[in-house]
Amino acid sequence: MKKILMILFLFSTVTFSQVDKGRIRLEFNGEKFDLPINSIVLRKENEIVISARAEKNDSTGQQLISMELPFKELDKANLGVGIKESELRFQILSRTKAYKIERRFNFNYGPKDVAVEFYYGKERVNWQYPSMQLKIEATKIDYNGKELKIVGGFSGKYKSNMPSESSKTIVEIKDGYFEIIL
């Protein structure tokens, strides 16, 4: 009996770990990310907040994308206005093992002010009041009775407002795509 329970436990663990939770794709300063979502957390606060984390960790290095998307409402009729950009949070991490290089970007639109950080290795690339162009939207929300699928896109450019680097783009996120399956 113990052997049967152990086999069922192992089978269920493998089956549940293969559940499709979606993908996040983007290009971050020239580096391409295409990662399966590992975990999703759904919270109800003043709005609906979906936190998604996608990660790949192998012999070449680590890539991680973490997103926190606050929705005013999950309604097919209001796709373009669904995500509250004023409380959006992103984290992108790229770490290569061979060259021991780490690039990390944190973007927090928080309740009061925008906090943006970019690290190259352990050095923080400093900027004052960054100039931002950010676009994010949900393009499809679909519920088929079994699962809720949210599809969207995003992109952003962040420039320094420091006099010495005023026209230099520090961070560029292109071709951002997310597919979240709940």
Side-chain angles (χ1 to χ4, degrees):
M1 184 67 159
K2 287 183 181 179
K3 288 182 183 180
I4 293 173
L5 288 174
M6 184 60 120
I7 290 170
L8 285 173
F9 174 73
L10 289 174
F11 178 73
S12 66
T13 304
V14 171
T15 303
F16 288 129
S17 66
Q18 294 177 355
V19 172
D20 185 15
K21 297 177 185 168
R23 298 196 79 67
I24 302 175
R25 288 193 305 255
L26 60 89
E27 185 177 322
F28 168 59
N29 284 1
E31 181 179 353
K32 294 190 184 289
F33 288 66
D34 186 359
L35 307 174
I37 293 177
N38 305 85
S39 68
I40 298 174
V41 176
L42 179 67
R43 299 189 316 269
K44 175 69 175 117
E45 295 174 355
N46 293 335
E47 62 274 326
I48 298 167
V49 179
I50 298 175
S51 299
R53 181 182 171 106
E55 184 174 12
K56 179 183 83 170
N57 200 354
D58 60 20
S59 61
T60 61
Q62 177 186 23
Q63 288 183 325
L64 173 129
I65 303 168
S66 176
M67 302 171 68
E68 191 166 287
L69 305 172
F71 285 85
K72 296 173 190 166
E73 52 191 48
L74 288 174
D75 185 1
K76 290 182 188 182
N78 294 322
L79 284 177
V81 295
I83 298 173
K84 287 181 71 174
E85 292 181 4
S86 62
E87 296 178 23
L88 181 68
R89 290 173 177 75
F90 273 115
Q91 180 183 17
I92 302 171
L93 172 74
S94 170
R95 184 180 294 142
T96 59
K97 290 184 180 178
Y99 302 108
K100 298 181 182 176
I101 297 173
E102 177 178 299
R103 292 187 307 166
R104 183 174 35 149
F105 172 67
N106 295 318
F107 175 79
N108 180 2
Y109 235 153
K112 292 187 179 184
D113 206 358
V114 178
V116 180
E117 298 175 326
F118 176 57
Y119 292 85
Y120 189 81
K122 294 185 179 189
E123 180 183 341
R124 180 176 182 204
V125 177
N126 206 355
W127 56 39
Q128 295 174 330
Y129 305 105
S131 160
M132 296 176 292
Q133 297 172 349
L134 172 69
K135 181 180 179 186
I136 185 165
E137 65 181 356
T139 56
K140 181 180 176 186
I141 298 175
D142 190 33
Y143 180 67
N144 65 10
K146 294 181 182 178
E147 63 185 24
L148 176 67
K149 184 185 278 190
I150 303 167
V151 177
F154 58 94
S155 62
K157 259 188 191 179
Y158 307 89
K159 297 181 180 186
S160 174
N161 280 345
M162 295 179 77
S164 62
E165 300 177 356
S166 62
S167 63
K168 182 179 176 184
T169 298
I170 308 273
V171 173
E172 184 172 19
I173 299 169
K174 298 190 311 189
D175 304 323
Y177 168 85
F178 61 87
E179 177 184 73
I180 299 170
I181 301 171
L182 299 167

